[in-house]
Amino acid sequence: MQVPTLVRYTAALAASALVLAGCGSSQQESGSDGSGKKVTIGVNFDLLNGIRQAEKSAIEKAATEAGYEVVFNVADKDPQKQSSQIQDLVQTRKVDALIVIAQDGQQIASSVSLAKARKVPFIAIDRAVADQQNITFQITGDPVADGKLAASEFIDAGKTKPLKVLELVGALTDQNAIGRRDGFNEAVKGDPNITVVSQVPTNWDPAQALDGTSNALQKNPDINAIFVPSDFLLPSVQSALKAAGRLAPIGDPEHVFLVTIDGDQNGCKAMKDKTLDADIATPVDDFGKQAISAITTALGGQGVSPQSVRTEGLSLDQANFATTSAQVWGCVVA
Amino acid sequence: MSSPESVRREDAAKASPARSAKPVSWLGDPDRRPGWLTDLSMLPALVVVVGVLSVLTDGMLTPSNIVNVGSQSAVVAIAAIGATFVILTGGIDLSTGSVIGASGVSAAWMITSTGSVAAGVAAGLLTGTVIGLVVGTVVAKMPVVPFAVTLAALYVVSGATTLLSHGKTIAPVPAGFIEFSIDGPGGVPYSVWLAVVLYAVAQTFLTRTAWGRRVLHVGANAEVARISGVHVARTKASVYAVAGLFSAIAGIVLTSGLAGAGAGMGGPLLLNIVGAVVLGGTSLFGGRGSLLRTAVGVLFLGFLSNGMSLLGLASFDQQIVTGAVIFIAASADGIGRRLRRGA
Amino acid sequence: MSSTYQWCARALRRQPLFPVWLVLVLALSGLYDEFGTGANFRNIAIQASPLIIAAVGATFVIMTGGIDLSVGAMLFLAAAIESSRAFVSAPAGVVFAAIAVTGLLMGLVNGVAIALTRVPALIVTLASMQVFRGAGGHITGQQNIDLPAHLRGIGTGSLLGVPAPVLLAAVTTLGGVLVFGRTVFGRYLQAIGSNRAAALNAGLPVRAVTIGAYALAGVLAALASLTQTARLGAVQPSIGDGYELTVITAVVLGGTSLFGGRGSITGTVLGALVLTTAQTGLVFSGASPYVFDIVRGGVLLVAVIAAGIRWRTLAQALRPAAAS
């Protein structure tokens, strides 16, 4: 009966050694913690993927220019984890300000009140939060406007050839996805040249986008345009087109008209390769810059005005590519 | 664990003379330490991990951070009570996370439409308990593995909740209801006090009531339990109903903590809930375990996650560390059991 | 005539899911004109391919009475290796080999940990799921990475008119059936699954076979990853999220018992086909995607209950023999 105790203690030691090793390596990353009185900003994202990486870099760049330090956490799409991490940042790490991409615009409310109670400026970016009165500043895209911008590309193209459109929709639980859908639908409604023949929900899942596009092309072979609500679904759509023998470059009469939103590296590359007709670019750099300057204002004891900013996307299409692409984040990073 | 029956069969075959001569664990194993000491066997690991993390971070062991870990762990802690009972019978409940979402959504829906928190709590508790009862009845009456039934329940419940709530978060809920997860006596949120009380009650039920003994008995050996007159099917069904009830409480507490409820909010918690139970030392084969062990497991995961978040460890590094720690802790348990049996 | 009838009856008993699938296909073809076309069946076959490949691997694991929750994470880690800079310009064969080795190593990690420590497979693979996903995150930096064109060819190309993913799935199925039914390894698997203690007593190499089953599942998960990502044309951090449950659902639908020892590869393939057909049908019907969860949960429940009832009568029939 001595043995298991021994084994357990050994395991405990081994476990802690492991944690130690893991932490040791990260300590170097997080750098000069507590040295001097540098302003520390807690940044918490809902998840990490291509566009989030760009948003993270934009914040880090602007923060470095302002001489601020950044502590970064990701909530892995778990609203409870996000609320815990923000609590840790505010109460234990005692950060001077927060920049948050909410997993859920409603369920972030408790974190917003916590920050307010502790007088920590709370900046929401990318996804709008419900509790507008209690945040310091918010900068988001304008999903409805982005949907409309995308729609206007279709309307322009429809003037030369009537379009039968397949519309992909993101997750029905995400306000950004709903906004893009609604803006698009509102703008194309009543246009005689545009018919939305099929709406396919993707749940922001590339596999569902691929299968859904394949099935829709099967069901409606006369589809000649597709609205893709995010760049990261573009490879799925193109694979589906290829599998159906419908992938053709711009200029080919068989070409299926494609418009996406985001403006990431892959989207920009597709524009360059003349396989994508238009991309509505999210102003990611603005998010970072304005968030940091709002923090500077708030820490100076002033209110940020305007308190809420919605930035419309930038339409990048084949006609303005040469002049506009320099302003699109995906083209710059690449 | 997916094969509790076959493994138990094997255990019985392997060590049948020795094992059948031994009294089942709830009577107290003569060659074992007192129950509460065995229950705390993961405590040294917890102390070491907390110790290491507190050296590496600032403010880990401040009272306010400890209260934070408590309030961050309350939801998982409460749901893990129900999961412990299920696992004690040798079963598993994969539907826990979806029931948390379903109960939270029905509570929030009731609160926002009637304005009454009491009605909302009642609706939430009813939702969870009914789902648990249905799942339990199927597990108990049908010759099917709990894994498959609760996996099916996970799909049906989360799909139905999302469908009925149109995928929307249901909010706002009254400030007093939110307060439950923020403040309370001694600066410790009510949610934490609730979890503490529920653990005390559940541990008492497990060790001091006939029902608790039946649960352990069924888990230790269902066949022997049946012969000695325990209504195995009823006991199994009751355990899933209890798990549904605790998931519902957890769902309501989570709704209070997040100031609103969405169908998907419980899903990511499943792994933490099962992980906490097993890490604490409750055996997936059933019959061996306690709420005290689960409490240690919950705190272990809670402090680990808090510490890694304070360190600003990248999320993928957090995953690697969590996975490795779960495996090491679990293998210590497995090796210990094997040596004990061999000796 | 009567021999045909007997053959049908025997086939039905062995594979009760087949008529279910047939009814599903016929009903959907009746409801939607475009459903019952060759091109649509081709689509369904392509869409089911990665699931079939991963589920065949999982069948081996579940046959031993084990479980593998790390399938989705293995999918992601294999995809991360596939998309890493080292392989950007490597020929497809080299990438193929690298992915197979990755899968083998991941499967070995699971198998060795399960066979040697006796920690329940659920916990080992719960832990390895986190580790694999974390490692994948390290390699990709949580970025979206486009795959080079020659790798995409594996997803969109075809050989003699058969799409490459379907070809891979067919080869996997055939190999699985052969390994399962015609090799010593396959027989040992079933023996270990039905009674591990007896297998140990009989001197079977229980550990080696268990490790082998998980290693095989790892290789096939990696192959499924290649098939899926090549179709998608890109690697994203969300790849394989929750895939383990879909895989287990397909295996259990196919009649493989989670107790181990009883099941079939063809059943698993049918399980994957039923799931994919149902999903395609729902897209055709225009129903909300959340209905799919309810449908697959309901189908799973009915399938396990149906299988369980037969199992009970079988168990009752065998009980006196087993007790003696």
Side-chain angles (χ1 to χ4, degrees):
Chain A
M1 74 152 269
Q2 288 297 336
V3 183
T5 322
L6 189 74
V7 171
R8 279 166 200 274
Y9 277 86
T10 318
L13 277 173
S16 58
L18 195 96
V19 173
L20 188 67
C23 305
S25 62
S26 81
Q27 269 303 67
Q28 295 162 351
E29 272 172 50
S30 58
S32 56
D33 199 49
S35 66
K37 292 245 172 182
K38 238 180 177 183
V39 168
T40 308
I41 301 168
V43 179
N44 192 282
F45 280 10
D46 53 345
L47 55 92
L48 204 52
N49 61 14
I51 190 164
R52 293 289 182 266
Q53 291 281 12
E55 288 167 319
K56 182 181 173 222
S57 321
I59 291 171
E60 280 167 350
K61 188 164 158 257
T64 314
E65 279 166 14
Y68 301 157
E69 202 168 312
V70 168
V71 189
F72 185 73
N73 279 158
V74 181
D76 296 326
K77 295 190 238 175
D78 179 351
Q80 145 111 345
K81 193 169 179 181
Q82 181 158 49
S83 131
S84 300
Q85 287 176 337
I86 292 175
Q87 193 176 37
D88 291 340
L89 287 171
V90 172
Q91 298 195 341
T92 312
R93 288 288 302 228
K94 299 198 164 42
V95 294
D96 302 289
L98 283 168
I99 300 176
V100 174
I101 301 182
Q103 163 67 22
D104 183 294
Q106 308 267 6
Q107 292 182 325
I108 200 72
S110 297
S111 303
V112 172
S113 356
L114 173 73
K116 188 175 169 110
R118 296 296 174 117
K119 299 194 167 53
V120 175
F122 188 105
I123 317 293
I125 68 168
D126 195 294
R127 185 168 291 134
V129 305
D131 191 6
Q132 285 286 329
Q133 305 92 308
N134 291 320
I135 57 171
T136 312
F137 176 66
Q138 165 171 297
I139 177 163
T140 62
D142 187 339
V144 176
D146 290 348
K148 285 181 180 162
L149 283 174
S152 71
E153 298 287 341
F154 283 87
I155 292 168
D156 284 351
K159 283 171 191 154
T160 45
K161 181 171 89 173
L163 295 180
K164 293 201 185 300
V165 182
L166 161 65
E167 181 184 0
L168 300 185
V169 184
L172 299 174
T173 50
D174 178 7
Q175 285 313 307
N176 284 348
I178 300 290
R180 288 172 186 188
R181 178 193 71 184
D182 292 350
F184 179 83
N185 287 343
E186 197 190 318
V188 297
K189 199 167 72 185
D191 189 289
N193 299 321
I194 311 285
T195 331
V196 177
V197 292
S198 182
Q199 261 198 8
V200 171
T202 66
N203 210 15
W204 286 139
D205 174 2
Q208 280 189 38
L210 171 59
D211 294 348
T213 308
S214 295
N215 293 336
L217 287 170
Q218 180 55 42
K219 199 179 167 196
N220 301 295
D222 53 351
I223 286 170
N224 61 1
I226 304 179
F227 170 43
V228 188
S230 174
D231 274 347
F232 83 97
L233 299 179
L234 185 63
S236 302
V237 169
Q238 290 183 328
S239 288
L241 286 170
K242 176 134 195 244
R246 303 284 307 276
L247 190 64
I250 293 171
D252 189 311
E254 282 296 293
H255 172 69
V256 174
F257 187 78
L258 293 173
V259 178
T260 66
I261 296 182
D262 281 351
D264 74 2
Q265 289 97 313
N266 300 336
C268 188
K269 188 167 171 299
M271 293 289 300
K272 248 180 240 164
D273 298 345
K274 303 240 184 285
T275 54
L276 175 64
D277 295 86
D279 196 340
I280 313 301
T282 308
V284 167
D285 287 334
D286 275 3
F287 288 1
K289 267 183 221 152
Q290 296 207 35
I292 295 294
S293 84
I295 287 174
T296 309
T297 314
L299 290 177
Q302 287 166 311
V304 183
S305 172
Q307 192 211 11
S308 177
V309 175
R310 275 209 227 162
T311 51
E312 231 174 65
L314 183 66
S315 287
L316 180 68
D317 53 32
Q318 290 296 343
N320 69 10
F321 188 80
T323 53
T324 315
S325 65
Q327 293 161 259
V328 173
W329 60 275
C331 300
V332 177
V333 186
Chain B
M1 71 53 46
S2 63
S3 57
E5 307 290 342
S6 66
V7 176
R8 215 174 300 132
R9 240 187 286 134
E10 172 207 322
D11 281 356
K14 209 169 157 191
S16 59
R19 199 179 170 99
S20 57
K22 272 185 207 166
V24 280
S25 59
W26 56 269
L27 287 176
D29 226 337
D31 64 345
R32 257 198 226 165
R33 290 154 293 181
W36 61 268
L37 197 59
T38 316
D39 284 346
L40 293 178
S41 57
M42 272 299 287
L43 197 61
L46 170 64
V47 170
V48 171
V49 165
V50 170
V52 171
L53 285 169
S54 66
V55 171
L56 289 172
T57 57
D58 289 335
M60 172 106 179
L61 288 181
T62 55
S64 90
N65 190 57
I66 292 171
V67 169
N68 283 354
V69 173
S71 72
Q72 290 164 11
S73 308
V75 173
V76 167
I78 293 169
I81 296 176
T84 307
F85 284 122
V86 170
I87 291 175
L88 276 172
T89 65
I92 187 127
D93 189 355
L94 299 182
S95 69
T96 309
S98 63
V99 176
I100 289 176
S103 325
V105 165
S106 50
W109 175 77
M110 189 60 107
I111 292 173
T112 47
S113 54
T114 66
S116 159
V117 171
V121 170
L125 295 181
L126 193 68
T127 307
T129 315
V130 167
I131 297 172
L133 200 58
V134 171
V135 169
T137 309
V138 174
V139 169
K141 296 276 182 191
M142 307 280 181
V144 287
V145 224
F147 190 95
V149 176
T150 56
L151 175 58
L154 159 81
Y155 285 139
V156 173
V157 171
S158 69
T161 313
T162 318
L163 202 64
L164 294 175
S165 62
H166 304 288
K168 291 205 175 87
T169 301
I170 301 187
V173 290
F177 181 61
I178 299 172
E179 200 66 10
F180 188 83
S181 295
I182 296 175
D183 209 1
V188 178
Y190 290 106
S191 56
V192 179
W193 291 115
L194 175 67
V196 170
V197 169
L198 289 176
Y199 267 82
V201 170
Q203 177 74 5
T204 312
F205 258 80
L206 183 66
T207 54
R208 300 260 185 273
T209 66
W211 179 76
R213 282 195 294 276
R214 283 202 291 273
V215 168
L216 288 167
H217 209 158
V218 166
N221 193 328
E223 196 53 29
V224 172
R226 193 183 61 81
I227 292 166
S228 53
V230 174
H231 199 306
V232 174
R234 203 175 288 163
T235 308
K236 278 192 181 171
S238 71
V239 156
Y240 288 87
V242 167
L245 173 66
F246 280 101
S247 299
I249 302 175
I252 295 166
V253 172
L254 184 56
T255 304
S256 141
L258 293 175
M265 68 184 184
L269 303 179
L270 174 65
L271 295 186
N272 278 340
I273 293 164
V274 175
V277 175
V278 179
L279 208 55
T282 293
S283 165
L284 275 169
F285 303 126
R288 217 167 48 87
S290 78
L291 276 316
L292 204 55
R293 296 185 193 195
T294 301
V296 177
V298 168
L299 288 177
F300 189 98
L301 288 182
F303 273 107
L304 186 62
S305 161
N306 172 263
M308 291 192 299
S309 139
L310 289 180
L311 274 172
L313 217 56
S315 67
F316 29 80
D317 290 330
Q318 295 197 14
Q319 285 176 322
I320 294 178
V321 173
T322 311
V325 169
I326 288 180
F327 176 70
I328 290 168
S331 60
D333 181 56
I335 293 168
R337 210 151 38 86
R338 199 157 152 220
L339 290 173
R340 203 179 304 143
R341 201 179 296 152
Chain C
M1 197 54 210
S2 82
S3 73
T4 318
Y5 170 77
Q6 276 174 354
W7 186 86
C8 285
R10 210 168 45 234
L12 199 65
R13 232 186 353 260
R14 223 188 255 174
Q15 218 49 270
L17 199 61
F18 186 70
V20 173
W21 182 56
L22 216 57
V23 168
L24 190 65
V25 168
L26 289 176
L28 287 167
S29 303
L31 280 172
Y32 307 103
D33 287 343
E34 307 85 356
F35 194 90
T37 58
N40 188 48
F41 292 138
R42 189 185 156 100
N43 261 350
I44 292 178
I46 296 176
Q47 290 171 18
S49 296
L51 182 57
I52 288 174
I53 296 170
V56 165
T59 309
F60 285 102
V61 165
I62 293 175
M63 280 301 291
T64 68
I67 195 104
D68 190 347
L69 296 184
S70 69
V71 176
M74 291 202 282
L75 234 66
F76 178 50
L77 181 50
I81 301 277
E82 178 192 6
S83 69
S84 68
R85 269 175 211 288
F87 295 118
V88 166
S89 50
V94 174
V95 181
F96 208 87
I99 288 177
V101 170
T102 309
L104 183 67
L105 288 177
M106 292 187 293
L108 282 176
V109 167
N110 282 338
V112 168
I114 287 160
L116 297 189
T117 63
R118 305 259 313 146
V119 177
L122 185 91
I123 295 302
V124 170
T125 54
L126 190 75
S128 64
M129 164 186 178
Q130 305 258 359
V131 174
F132 294 157
R133 206 160 258 292
H138 250 298
I139 294 171
T140 61
Q142 299 288 99
Q143 289 277 13
N144 307 343
I145 303 169
D146 269 15
L147 288 178
H150 65 285
L151 286 181
R152 292 192 196 197
I154 300 171
T156 50
S158 59
L159 189 72
L160 301 173
V162 182
V166 177
L167 208 61
L168 285 171
V171 169
T172 306
T173 306
L174 198 67
V177 168
L178 287 179
V179 168
F180 196 66
R182 298 285 158 93
T183 64
V184 180
F185 175 73
R187 281 202 301 280
Y188 284 180
L189 267 183
Q190 297 175 56
I192 292 169
S194 28
N195 193 333
R196 202 184 152 100
L200 271 170
N201 286 340
L204 302 191
V206 172
R207 280 184 182 169
V209 172
T210 307
I211 294 174
Y214 283 91
L216 205 54
V219 172
L220 290 181
L223 187 60
S225 171
L226 179 68
T227 316
Q228 178 75 326
T229 50
R231 287 183 62 223
L232 294 172
V235 171
Q236 275 125 7
S238 65
I239 279 180
D241 235 357
Y243 204 62
E244 53 280 351
L245 295 184
T246 310
V247 167
I248 293 169
T249 305
V251 175
V252 174
L253 265 184
T256 297
S257 163
L258 282 166
F259 291 121
R262 204 173 52 92
S264 70
I265 300 292
T266 43
T268 296
V269 173
L270 273 171
L273 284 173
V274 165
L275 281 181
T276 312
T277 309
Q279 184 150 31
T280 310
L282 280 171
V283 171
F284 270 77
S285 77
S288 155
Y290 304 114
V291 173
F292 175 63
D293 271 344
I294 302 177
V295 168
R296 76 168 155 183
V299 170
L300 176 63
L301 194 62
V302 170
V304 288
I305 289 175
I309 287 166
R310 290 187 291 115
W311 180 230
R312 178 155 62 177
T313 46
L314 193 67
Q316 272 165 355
L318 290 178
R319 189 163 289 156
S324 63

